[in-house]
Amino acid sequence: MQLTIHQIDAFTSSLFKGNYAAVIPLEAWLSDELMLNIGAENNVSETAFTCPQADGSFAIRWFSPLMEIDFCGHATLAAAYVLCEQHNLSQVRFNATAVGELVVNKNSDGSFTMTFPKQAPVEVKTIPEALLKGLSIQPIKVLKNRQAYFAIYENAQQIHDLTTQPDLLKTLYPLDVVATSSSAEYDMVSRYFWPASGGEEDFVTGSIHTGLAPYWAQQLGKNKLNAYQASSRGGFIQCEVGEDTVRLTGNAVRYLKGTIYL
């Protein structure tokens, strides 16, 4: 068996920035074991597998090097990039078990806008000790949603200076950790740590902005925000918060196209 593999840098206009994802379009699903093995072999943040559906949409599944992930924004952007190019589309409708329908539109400037369910966080009354000990700088507040704990900080410099103890943060599974603050240069900055699910730090995490954007929209009194994820590669996301959805806009560039031999 031969499979075509694409590697795309998402949430960036430049190669070697943003977050990389592998995309493997399928005609029929492979076994879970094989997709897990491919995700581990690729060893990128996420590998997205897509499969066409009778109604013209695409089912999508995401695999980190360690496990299947139920929602990934940057690999969805990467998959839309590939499918729009492959099928000459301006819109792609994805379906995922955990989050339902995800609509991605290709804009006239080449960027992509993804419409995701809003996943606003709520404040945590009892903060896990492993979270506080696992962060080198103590947050001023902690919230959480279905995906992660949100460690809120006073300024962007703290986000850049922050170090973590992955072994402690790993014990918070199935929740990951995002550290965030407002910023003079952007509306919000963040970093994302997921040692139990994929790696010590993710480069750019689209899915977590479905929680970050509603929080900062409320704090800043605006529903359109510019976000920067301050990882070693860095990435930019434009966010628009609606009543039930969050729209994320970003760019993507191709790194490679190749063949997997199985």
Side-chain angles (χ1 to χ4, degrees):
M1 185 192 307
Q2 296 183 16
L3 301 174
T4 300
I5 182 172
H6 310 259
Q7 188 165 315
I8 308 298
D9 289 344
F11 293 121
T12 179
S13 299
S14 305
L15 279 175
F16 315 122
K17 299 291 185 181
N19 202 356
Y20 38 53
V23 179
I24 301 174
L26 302 171
E27 292 302 317
W29 290 119
L30 306 173
S31 70
D32 288 4
E33 181 183 10
L34 183 52
M35 289 190 286
L36 282 165
N37 285 337
I38 291 171
E41 183 79 9
N42 289 342
N43 199 33
V44 295
S45 177
E46 301 283 354
T47 297
F49 295 88
T50 66
C51 194
Q53 305 297 289
D55 66 355
S57 68
F58 293 83
I60 187 168
R61 294 173 69 181
W62 307 276
F63 290 79
S64 82
L66 299 179
M67 64 183 68
E68 184 170 8
I69 303 297
D70 67 4
F71 180 32
C72 177
H74 85 277
T76 301
L77 173 53
Y81 177 100
V82 170
L83 294 173
C84 283
E85 180 184 80
Q86 192 174 68
H87 300 285
N88 193 29
L89 301 173
S90 59
Q91 183 184 83
V92 183
R93 290 182 296 115
F94 292 109
N95 284 284
T97 300
V99 289
E101 185 176 69
L102 309 172
V103 178
V104 185
N105 289 289
K106 184 176 181 180
N107 303 314
S108 58
D109 64 357
S111 66
F112 293 82
T113 297
M114 304 180 286
T115 302
F116 289 157
K118 183 192 290 187
Q119 300 190 107
V122 296
E123 191 162 354
V124 174
K125 293 181 179 179
T126 304
I127 302 172
E129 187 175 355
L131 175 62
L132 297 176
K133 289 186 175 180
L135 300 171
S136 64
I137 303 171
Q138 295 302 287
I140 57 173
K141 183 165 51 175
V142 174
L143 303 91
K144 73 173 181 178
N145 68 3
R146 61 180 292 275
Q147 180 176 347
Y149 287 102
F150 291 61
I152 311 299
Y153 287 91
E154 292 180 352
N155 58 69
Q157 190 60 51
Q158 292 177 311
I159 304 300
H160 290 284
D161 292 344
L162 186 67
T163 60
T164 68
Q165 295 188 47
D167 287 345
L168 289 175
L169 298 187
K170 190 179 291 187
T171 66
L172 300 171
Y173 180 83
L175 297 182
D176 301 321
V177 177
V178 61
T180 183
S181 76
S182 59
S183 164
E185 188 173 0
Y186 310 97
D187 292 308
M188 57 175 161
V189 295
S190 66
R191 290 172 64 194
Y192 191 86
F193 308 99
W194 62 327
S197 304
E200 290 190 10
E201 182 171 357
D202 197 31
F203 293 122
V204 191
T205 315
S207 58
I208 201 61
H209 285 78
T210 64
L212 287 169
Y215 173 77
W216 286 114
Q218 184 179 51
Q219 298 300 307
L220 301 174
K222 57 196 299 188
N223 68 344
K224 293 183 178 180
L225 306 102
N226 292 315
Y228 179 67
Q229 193 155 328
S231 67
S232 58
R233 289 171 63 101
F236 302 90
I237 305 177
Q238 293 176 299
C239 308
E240 183 174 356
V241 180
E243 185 175 347
D244 300 309
T245 62
V246 175
R247 301 177 72 198
L248 305 179
T249 298
N251 290 285
V253 292
R254 176 181 294 281
Y255 174 66
L256 66 79
K257 180 180 181 180
T259 303
I260 298 174
Y261 298 88
L262 299 171

Coordinates of all heavy atoms in Angstrom, one line a residue, residues 20-111:
Y20 N 3.8 22.5 12.6 CA 3.8 21.6 11.5 C 2.8 20.4 11.7 O 2.6 20.0 12.9 CB 5.1 21.0 11.2 CG 6.0 20.6 12.3 CD1 5.6 19.9 13.4 CD2 7.3 21.1 12.4 CE1 6.4 19.5 14.4 CE2 8.2 20.8 13.4 CZ 7.7 20.0 14.5 OH 8.6 19.7 15.5
A21 N 2.1 20.0 10.7 CA 1.2 18.9 10.7 C 1.4 18.1 9.5 O 1.6 18.6 8.4 CB -0.2 19.4 10.8
A22 N 1.2 16.8 9.6 CA 1.2 15.9 8.5 C -0.3 15.7 8.1 O -1.2 15.6 9.0 CB 1.8 14.5 8.8
V23 N -0.6 15.5 6.8 CA -2.0 15.3 6.4 C -1.9 14.1 5.4 O -1.1 14.1 4.5 CB -2.5 16.5 5.6 CG1 -3.9 16.3 5.1 CG2 -2.5 17.8 6.5
I24 N -2.8 13.1 5.7 CA -2.9 11.9 4.9 C -4.3 11.7 4.4 O -5.2 11.3 5.2 CB -2.4 10.7 5.6 CG1 -0.9 10.9 6.1 CG2 -2.5 9.4 4.8 CD1 -0.3 9.8 6.9
P25 N -4.6 12.1 3.2 CA -6.0 11.9 2.7 C -6.2 10.4 2.4 O -5.4 9.8 1.7 CB -6.1 12.8 1.4 CG -4.9 13.7 1.5 CD -3.9 12.9 2.2
L26 N -7.3 9.9 2.8 CA -7.7 8.5 2.6 C -9.0 8.4 1.8 O -9.8 9.3 1.8 CB -7.8 7.8 4.0 CG -6.6 7.8 4.9 CD1 -7.1 7.2 6.3 CD2 -5.5 7.0 4.4
E27 N -9.2 7.2 1.2 CA -10.5 6.9 0.6 C -11.3 6.0 1.6 O -12.5 6.0 1.5 CB -10.3 6.2 -0.7 CG -9.7 7.1 -1.8 CD -10.5 8.3 -2.0 OE1 -11.8 8.2 -2.1 OE2 -10.0 9.4 -2.2
A28 N -10.6 5.3 2.5 CA -11.3 4.5 3.5 C -10.3 4.5 4.7 O -9.1 4.5 4.6 CB -11.6 3.1 3.0
W29 N -10.9 4.3 5.9 CA -10.1 4.4 7.1 C -9.2 3.2 7.2 O -9.5 2.1 6.8 CB -11.0 4.4 8.4 CG -11.8 5.6 8.6 CD1 -13.2 5.7 8.6 CD2 -11.3 6.9 8.8 NE1 -13.5 7.0 8.8 CE2 -12.4 7.8 8.9 CE3 -10.0 7.5 8.8 CZ2 -12.2 9.2 9.1 CZ3 -9.8 8.8 9.0 CH2 -11.0 9.7 9.2
L30 N -8.0 3.5 7.7 CA -7.0 2.5 8.1 C -7.4 2.0 9.5 O -8.2 2.6 10.2 CB -5.6 3.0 8.1 CG -5.1 3.7 6.8 CD1 -3.8 4.4 7.0 CD2 -5.1 2.7 5.7
S31 N -6.7 0.9 10.0 CA -7.0 0.5 11.4 C -6.4 1.5 12.3 O -5.5 2.3 12.0 CB -6.3 -0.8 11.6 OG -4.9 -0.7 11.6
D32 N -7.0 1.6 13.5 CA -6.5 2.5 14.5 C -5.1 2.3 14.8 O -4.3 3.2 15.0 CB -7.3 2.4 15.8 CG -8.7 2.9 15.7 OD1 -9.1 3.4 14.6 OD2 -9.5 2.9 16.7
E33 N -4.7 1.0 14.9 CA -3.3 0.7 15.2 C -2.3 1.2 14.2 O -1.3 1.8 14.5 CB -3.1 -0.8 15.3 CG -1.7 -1.3 15.7 CD -1.5 -2.8 15.7 OE1 -2.4 -3.5 15.3 OE2 -0.4 -3.2 16.1
L34 N -2.7 1.1 12.9 CA -1.8 1.6 11.8 C -1.8 3.1 11.9 O -0.7 3.7 11.7 CB -2.4 1.1 10.5 CG -1.5 1.5 9.2 CD1 -0.1 1.1 9.4 CD2 -2.1 0.9 8.0
M35 N -2.9 3.8 12.1 CA -2.8 5.3 12.2 C -2.0 5.7 13.4 O -1.3 6.7 13.3 CB -4.2 5.8 12.2 CG -5.0 5.7 10.9 SD -6.5 6.6 10.7 CE -7.6 5.5 11.7
L36 N -2.1 5.0 14.5 CA -1.3 5.4 15.7 C 0.2 5.2 15.3 O 1.1 6.0 15.7 CB -1.6 4.5 16.8 CG -2.9 4.8 17.6 CD1 -3.3 3.6 18.5 CD2 -2.7 6.1 18.5
N37 N 0.5 4.1 14.6 CA 1.9 3.9 14.2 C 2.4 4.9 13.3 O 3.6 5.4 13.4 CB 2.1 2.5 13.6 CG 2.0 1.4 14.7 OD1 2.3 1.6 15.8 ND2 1.7 0.2 14.2
I38 N 1.6 5.3 12.3 CA 2.0 6.4 11.4 C 2.2 7.7 12.1 O 3.2 8.4 11.9 CB 1.0 6.5 10.3 CG1 1.0 5.3 9.4 CG2 1.2 7.8 9.4 CD1 -0.2 5.2 8.4
G39 N 1.3 8.0 13.1 CA 1.5 9.3 13.8 C 2.8 9.3 14.6 O 3.5 10.3 14.7
A40 N 3.1 8.1 15.2 CA 4.4 8.0 16.0 C 5.6 8.1 15.0 O 6.6 8.8 15.4 CB 4.4 6.7 16.7
E41 N 5.5 7.5 13.9 CA 6.6 7.5 12.9 C 6.8 8.9 12.4 O 8.0 9.3 12.2 CB 6.3 6.5 11.8 CG 7.4 6.4 10.8 CD 8.6 5.5 11.2 OE1 8.4 4.8 12.3 OE2 9.6 5.4 10.6
N42 N 5.7 9.6 12.1 CA 5.9 11.0 11.6 C 6.5 11.9 12.6 O 7.3 12.8 12.2 CB 4.5 11.5 11.2 CG 3.9 10.9 9.9 OD1 4.7 10.3 9.1 ND2 2.6 11.0 9.7
N43 N 6.1 11.7 13.9 CA 6.7 12.4 15.0 C 6.6 13.9 14.8 O 7.5 14.7 15.2 CB 8.2 12.0 15.2 CG 8.7 12.4 16.6 OD1 7.9 12.4 17.5 ND2 10.0 12.7 16.7
V44 N 5.5 14.4 14.2 CA 5.2 15.8 14.2 C 4.1 16.0 15.2 O 3.5 15.1 15.7 CB 4.8 16.3 12.8 CG1 5.9 16.2 11.8 CG2 3.6 15.5 12.3
S45 N 3.8 17.3 15.5 CA 2.8 17.6 16.5 C 1.5 16.8 16.3 O 0.9 16.3 17.2 CB 2.5 19.1 16.5 OG 1.5 19.4 17.4
E46 N 1.0 16.8 15.1 CA -0.2 16.1 14.7 C -0.2 15.5 13.3 O 0.4 16.1 12.4 CB -1.5 17.0 14.8 CG -1.8 17.6 16.1 CD -2.3 16.6 17.2 OE1 -2.7 15.5 16.8 OE2 -2.5 17.0 18.3
T47 N -0.8 14.4 13.1 CA -1.0 13.8 11.8 C -2.5 13.7 11.6 O -3.2 13.1 12.5 CB -0.4 12.4 11.6 OG1 1.0 12.5 11.7 CG2 -0.8 11.8 10.3
A48 N -3.1 14.4 10.6 CA -4.5 14.4 10.3 C -4.8 13.4 9.2 O -4.1 13.4 8.2 CB -5.0 15.8 9.9
F49 N -5.8 12.6 9.4 CA -6.3 11.6 8.4 C -7.7 12.1 8.0 O -8.5 12.4 8.9 CB -6.4 10.2 8.9 CG -5.0 9.6 9.3 CD1 -4.5 9.8 10.6 CD2 -4.3 8.8 8.4 CE1 -3.3 9.2 10.9 CE2 -3.1 8.3 8.7 CZ -2.6 8.4 9.9
T50 N -7.9 12.2 6.7 CA -9.3 12.6 6.3 C -9.9 11.5 5.4 O -9.1 10.8 4.8 CB -9.2 13.9 5.5 OG1 -8.5 13.7 4.3 CG2 -8.6 15.0 6.3
C51 N -11.2 11.5 5.4 CA -11.9 10.4 4.6 C -13.2 11.1 4.0 O -13.9 11.6 4.8 CB -12.2 9.2 5.5 SG -12.7 7.8 4.6
P52 N -13.4 11.0 2.7 CA -14.6 11.7 2.1 C -15.8 11.0 2.5 O -15.9 9.7 2.7 CB -14.3 11.5 0.6 CG -13.4 10.4 0.5 CD -12.5 10.4 1.7
Q53 N -16.9 11.8 2.7 CA -18.2 11.3 3.1 C -19.2 11.5 1.9 O -19.0 12.3 1.0 CB -18.7 12.0 4.3 CG -17.8 12.0 5.5 CD -17.5 10.5 6.0 OE1 -18.4 9.9 6.6 NE2 -16.3 10.0 5.8
A54 N -20.3 10.8 2.0 CA -21.3 10.8 0.9 C -21.9 12.2 0.6 O -22.3 12.5 -0.5 CB -22.4 9.8 1.1
D55 N -21.9 13.0 1.7 CA -22.6 14.3 1.5 C -21.6 15.4 1.1 O -21.9 16.6 1.0 CB -23.2 14.8 2.8 CG -22.2 15.0 4.0 OD1 -21.0 14.7 3.8 OD2 -22.6 15.4 5.1
G56 N -20.3 15.0 0.7 CA -19.3 16.0 0.2 C -18.4 16.5 1.3 O -17.5 17.2 1.0
S57 N -18.7 16.2 2.6 CA -17.8 16.6 3.7 C -16.7 15.6 3.9 O -16.7 14.5 3.1 CB -18.6 16.7 5.0 OG -19.1 15.4 5.4
F58 N -15.8 15.8 4.8 CA -14.7 14.9 5.1 C -14.7 14.6 6.6 O -14.8 15.5 7.4 CB -13.4 15.5 4.7 CG -13.2 15.7 3.3 CD1 -13.7 16.9 2.6 CD2 -12.6 14.8 2.5 CE1 -13.6 17.1 1.3 CE2 -12.4 15.0 1.1 CZ -12.9 16.1 0.5
A59 N -14.7 13.3 6.9 CA -14.4 13.0 8.3 C -12.9 13.2 8.6 O -12.1 13.1 7.7 CB -14.8 11.5 8.6
I60 N -12.6 13.6 9.8 CA -11.2 13.9 10.1 C -10.9 13.3 11.5 O -11.7 13.4 12.4 CB -10.9 15.4 10.1 CG1 -9.4 15.7 10.3 CG2 -11.8 16.2 11.1 CD1 -9.0 17.2 10.0
R61 N -9.7 12.8 11.6 CA -9.1 12.3 12.9 C -7.7 12.7 13.0 O -7.0 12.9 12.0 CB -9.2 10.7 12.9 CG -10.6 10.2 12.9 CD -10.7 8.7 12.8 NE -10.2 8.1 14.0 CZ -10.1 6.7 14.2 NH1 -10.5 5.9 13.2 NH2 -9.7 6.2 15.3
W62 N -7.3 13.0 14.2 CA -6.0 13.5 14.5 C -5.2 12.6 15.5 O -5.7 12.2 16.5 CB -6.1 14.9 15.2 CG -7.0 15.9 14.5 CD1 -6.6 16.7 13.4 CD2 -8.3 16.2 14.8 NE1 -7.7 17.5 13.1 CE2 -8.8 17.2 13.9 CE3 -9.3 15.7 15.7 CZ2 -10.0 17.8 13.9 CZ3 -10.5 16.3 15.7 CH2 -10.9 17.3 14.8
F63 N -3.9 12.4 15.2 CA -3.0 11.6 16.0 C -1.7 12.4 16.3 O -1.0 12.8 15.4 CB -2.7 10.3 15.3 CG -3.9 9.4 15.1 CD1 -4.8 9.6 14.1 CD2 -4.0 8.3 16.0 CE1 -5.9 8.7 14.0 CE2 -5.1 7.4 15.9 CZ -6.1 7.6 14.9
S64 N -1.5 12.5 17.6 CA -0.1 13.0 18.0 C 0.8 11.8 18.0 O 0.4 10.7 17.7 CB -0.2 13.5 19.5 OG -0.2 12.4 20.4
P65 N 2.1 12.0 18.3 CA 3.0 10.8 18.3 C 2.7 9.8 19.4 O 3.2 8.7 19.4 CB 4.4 11.5 18.6 CG 4.3 12.9 18.0 CD 2.8 13.3 18.3
L66 N 1.8 10.2 20.3 CA 1.5 9.4 21.5 C 0.1 8.7 21.5 O -0.1 7.7 22.0 CB 1.7 10.1 22.8 CG 3.0 10.7 23.1 CD1 3.0 11.5 24.4 CD2 4.1 9.6 23.1
M67 N -0.9 9.4 20.8 CA -2.3 9.0 21.0 C -3.2 9.7 20.0 O -2.8 10.7 19.4 CB -2.8 9.2 22.4 CG -2.9 10.6 22.8 SD -3.4 10.9 24.5 CE -2.0 10.2 25.4
E68 N -4.4 9.2 19.9 CA -5.4 9.9 19.1 C -5.9 11.1 19.9 O -6.1 11.0 21.1 CB -6.6 9.1 18.7 CG -7.6 9.8 17.9 CD -8.7 8.9 17.3 OE1 -8.7 7.7 17.6 OE2 -9.4 9.4 16.4
I69 N -6.0 12.3 19.3 CA -6.5 13.5 19.9 C -7.9 13.9 19.4 O -8.1 13.7 18.2 CB -5.5 14.7 19.6 CG1 -4.1 14.3 20.0 CG2 -5.9 16.0 20.2 CD1 -3.9 14.1 21.5
D70 N -8.8 14.3 20.3 CA -10.1 14.5 19.8 C -10.4 15.8 19.1 O -11.5 16.0 18.5 CB -11.1 14.3 21.0 CG -11.1 15.3 22.1 OD1 -10.3 16.3 21.9 OD2 -11.7 15.2 23.1
F71 N -9.5 16.8 19.1 CA -9.7 18.1 18.5 C -8.4 18.8 18.3 O -7.6 19.0 19.2 CB -10.6 18.9 19.3 CG -10.9 20.3 18.8 CD1 -11.0 20.5 17.4 CD2 -11.2 21.4 19.6 CE1 -11.3 21.8 16.9 CE2 -11.5 22.6 19.1 CZ -11.6 22.8 17.8
C72 N -8.1 19.1 17.0 CA -6.8 19.8 16.7 C -7.0 20.9 15.7 O -7.5 20.6 14.6 CB -5.7 18.8 16.3 SG -4.2 19.7 15.8
G73 N -6.7 22.1 16.0 CA -7.0 23.2 15.1 C -6.0 23.4 14.0 O -6.3 23.5 12.8
H74 N -4.7 23.3 14.3 CA -3.7 23.6 13.3 C -3.6 22.5 12.3 O -3.4 22.7 11.1 CB -2.3 23.8 13.9 CG -1.5 22.6 14.2 ND1 -1.6 21.8 15.3 CD2 -0.5 22.0 13.5 CE1 -0.8 20.8 15.3 NE2 -0.1 20.8 14.2
A75 N -3.9 21.2 12.7 CA -3.9 20.1 11.7 C -5.2 20.2 10.8 O -5.2 19.7 9.7 CB -3.8 18.8 12.4
T76 N -6.3 20.8 11.4 CA -7.5 21.0 10.6 C -7.2 22.1 9.5 O -7.6 21.9 8.3 CB -8.6 21.5 11.5 OG1 -8.9 20.5 12.5 CG2 -9.9 21.7 10.7
L77 N -6.5 23.1 9.9 CA -6.0 24.1 8.9 C -5.2 23.5 7.8 O -5.3 23.7 6.6 CB -5.3 25.2 9.6 CG -4.6 26.3 8.8 CD1 -5.6 26.9 7.8 CD2 -4.0 27.4 9.7
A78 N -4.2 22.6 8.2 CA -3.3 22.0 7.3 C -4.1 21.1 6.3 O -3.9 21.0 5.1 CB -2.3 21.2 8.0
A79 N -5.1 20.3 6.9 CA -5.9 19.4 6.1 C -6.7 20.2 5.1 O -6.9 19.8 3.9 CB -6.8 18.6 7.0
A80 N -7.3 21.4 5.5 CA -8.1 22.2 4.6 C -7.2 22.7 3.5 O -7.6 22.8 2.3 CB -8.7 23.4 5.3
Y81 N -6.0 23.1 3.8 CA -5.0 23.6 2.8 C -4.8 22.5 1.7 O -4.9 22.8 0.5 CB -3.7 23.9 3.4 CG -2.6 24.3 2.5 CD1 -2.2 25.7 2.4 CD2 -1.8 23.4 1.8 CE1 -1.2 26.1 1.5 CE2 -0.8 23.8 0.9 CZ -0.5 25.1 0.8 OH 0.5 25.5 -0.1
V82 N -4.6 21.3 2.1 CA -4.4 20.2 1.2 C -5.6 19.9 0.4 O -5.6 19.7 -0.9 CB -3.9 18.9 2.0 CG1 -3.9 17.7 1.0 CG2 -2.5 19.1 2.6
L83 N -6.8 19.8 1.0 CA -8.0 19.4 0.3 C -8.5 20.5 -0.6 O -9.0 20.2 -1.7 CB -9.1 19.0 1.3 CG -8.8 17.8 2.1 CD1 -9.9 17.6 3.2 CD2 -8.7 16.5 1.2
C84 N -8.3 21.7 -0.3 CA -8.7 22.8 -1.2 C -7.8 22.8 -2.4 O -8.3 23.0 -3.5 CB -8.6 24.2 -0.5 SG -9.9 24.6 0.7
E85 N -6.6 22.5 -2.2 CA -5.7 22.5 -3.4 C -6.0 21.2 -4.2 O -6.0 21.3 -5.4 CB -4.2 22.4 -2.8 CG -3.1 22.3 -3.9 CD -1.8 22.1 -3.3 OE1 -1.4 21.0 -2.9 OE2 -1.0 23.1 -3.2
Q86 N -6.2 20.1 -3.6 CA -6.4 18.8 -4.3 C -7.7 18.8 -5.1 O -7.8 18.3 -6.2 CB -6.4 17.7 -3.2 CG -6.3 16.3 -3.8 CD -6.1 15.3 -2.6 OE1 -7.0 15.1 -1.8 NE2 -5.0 14.7 -2.5
H87 N -8.8 19.4 -4.5 CA -10.1 19.3 -5.1 C -10.6 20.6 -5.6 O -11.8 20.7 -6.0 CB -11.1 18.7 -4.1 CG -10.8 17.4 -3.6 ND1 -10.9 16.2 -4.3 CD2 -10.2 17.0 -2.4 CE1 -10.6 15.2 -3.6 NE2 -10.1 15.6 -2.5
N88 N -9.8 21.6 -5.6 CA -10.1 23.0 -6.1 C -11.3 23.5 -5.4 O -12.3 24.0 -6.0 CB -10.4 23.0 -7.6 CG -10.4 24.4 -8.2 OD1 -9.8 25.3 -7.7 ND2 -11.2 24.6 -9.3
L89 N -11.3 23.5 -4.0 CA -12.4 23.9 -3.2 C -12.1 25.3 -2.6 O -11.0 25.6 -2.4 CB -12.6 22.9 -2.1 CG -13.0 21.4 -2.5 CD1 -13.0 20.5 -1.2 CD2 -14.3 21.4 -3.2
S90 N -13.2 26.0 -2.2 CA -13.0 27.2 -1.4 C -13.6 27.0 0.0 O -13.5 27.9 0.8 CB -13.7 28.4 -2.1 OG -15.1 28.1 -2.3
Q91 N -14.3 25.9 0.2 CA -14.8 25.6 1.5 C -14.7 24.1 1.7 O -14.9 23.3 0.8 CB -16.3 26.0 1.7 CG -16.8 25.7 3.1 CD -18.3 26.1 3.2 OE1 -19.2 25.3 2.8 NE2 -18.6 27.3 3.6
V92 N -14.3 23.7 3.0 CA -14.2 22.3 3.4 C -15.1 22.1 4.6 O -14.9 22.9 5.6 CB -12.8 21.8 3.6 CG1 -12.8 20.3 4.0 CG2 -11.9 22.1 2.4
R93 N -15.9 21.1 4.6 CA -16.7 20.8 5.8 C -16.1 19.5 6.4 O -16.1 18.5 5.7 CB -18.2 20.6 5.5 CG -18.9 21.9 5.2 CD -20.4 21.7 4.9 NE -20.6 20.8 3.7 CZ -21.2 19.6 3.8 NH1 -21.6 19.1 4.9 NH2 -21.3 18.9 2.7
F94 N -15.6 19.6 7.6 CA -15.1 18.4 8.3 C -16.1 18.0 9.4 O -16.9 18.8 9.9 CB -13.8 18.7 9.1 CG -12.6 19.0 8.2 CD1 -12.2 20.3 8.0 CD2 -12.0 18.0 7.4 CE1 -11.1 20.6 7.2 CE2 -10.9 18.3 6.6 CZ -10.5 19.5 6.5
N95 N -16.1 16.7 9.7 CA -16.8 16.2 10.8 C -15.9 15.4 11.8 O -15.1 14.5 11.3 CB -18.0 15.3 10.3 CG -19.1 16.1 9.8 OD1 -19.9 16.7 10.5 ND2 -19.2 16.2 8.5
A96 N -16.0 15.6 13.1 CA -15.2 14.9 14.0 C -16.1 14.5 15.2 O -17.0 15.2 15.6 CB -14.1 15.8 14.6
T97 N -15.8 13.3 15.7 CA -16.7 12.8 16.7 C -16.9 13.7 17.9 O -18.1 13.9 18.4 CB -16.2 11.4 17.2 OG1 -16.1 10.5 16.0 CG2 -17.1 10.8 18.2
A98 N -15.8 14.2 18.4 CA -15.9 15.0 19.7 C -16.5 16.4 19.6 O -17.1 16.9 20.5 CB -14.5 15.1 20.4
V99 N -16.3 17.0 18.4 CA -16.7 18.4 18.3 C -17.7 18.7 17.1 O -18.0 19.8 16.9 CB -15.4 19.3 18.1 CG1 -14.6 19.4 19.4 CG2 -14.5 18.8 17.0
G100 N -18.1 17.7 16.4 CA -19.1 17.9 15.4 C -18.6 18.4 14.1 O -17.4 18.2 13.7
E101 N -19.4 19.3 13.5 CA -19.0 19.8 12.2 C -18.0 21.0 12.4 O -18.3 21.9 13.2 CB -20.2 20.3 11.4 CG -19.9 20.8 10.0 CD -21.1 21.1 9.1 OE1 -21.7 22.2 9.4 OE2 -21.3 20.4 8.2
L102 N -17.0 21.1 11.5 CA -16.0 22.1 11.5 C -15.9 22.6 10.1 O -15.6 21.9 9.2 CB -14.6 21.6 11.9 CG -14.6 20.8 13.3 CD1 -13.2 20.2 13.4 CD2 -14.9 21.8 14.4
V103 N -16.3 23.9 9.9 CA -16.3 24.5 8.5 C -15.0 25.4 8.3 O -14.7 26.2 9.2 CB -17.5 25.3 8.3 CG1 -17.5 25.9 6.9 CG2 -18.8 24.4 8.5
V104 N -14.3 25.2 7.2 CA -13.1 25.9 6.9 C -13.3 26.6 5.5 O -13.6 25.9 4.6 CB -11.9 25.1 6.9 CG1 -10.6 26.0 6.7 CG2 -11.7 24.3 8.2
N105 N -13.2 27.9 5.5 CA -13.3 28.7 4.2 C -11.9 29.2 3.8 O -11.2 29.7 4.6 CB -14.2 29.8 4.4 CG -15.7 29.4 4.5 OD1 -16.3 28.9 3.5 ND2 -16.2 29.5 5.7
K106 N -11.6 29.0 2.5 CA -10.4 29.6 2.0 C -10.7 31.1 1.5 O -11.6 31.3 0.7 CB -9.8 28.8 0.8 CG -8.5 29.4 0.3 CD -7.9 28.5 -0.8 CE -6.6 29.0 -1.3 NZ -6.0 28.2 -2.4
N107 N -10.0 32.0 2.0 CA -10.3 33.4 1.7 C -9.5 33.9 0.5 O -8.6 33.2 0.0 CB -9.9 34.3 2.9 CG -10.6 33.9 4.2 OD1 -11.8 33.7 4.2 ND2 -9.9 33.8 5.3
S108 N -9.9 35.0 -0.1 CA -9.3 35.5 -1.3 C -7.8 35.8 -1.2 O -7.1 35.8 -2.2 CB -10.1 36.8 -1.8 OG -10.0 37.8 -0.8
D109 N -7.4 36.1 0.0 CA -5.9 36.4 0.2 C -5.1 35.2 0.5 O -3.9 35.2 0.8 CB -5.8 37.4 1.4 CG -6.2 36.9 2.7 OD1 -6.7 35.7 2.8 OD2 -6.1 37.6 3.7
G110 N -5.8 34.0 0.4 CA -5.1 32.7 0.6 C -5.1 32.2 2.1 O -4.6 31.1 2.3
S111 N -5.6 33.0 3.0 CA -5.7 32.6 4.4 C -6.9 31.7 4.5 O -7.7 31.6 3.6 CB -5.8 33.8 5.3 OG -7.0 34.5 5.1

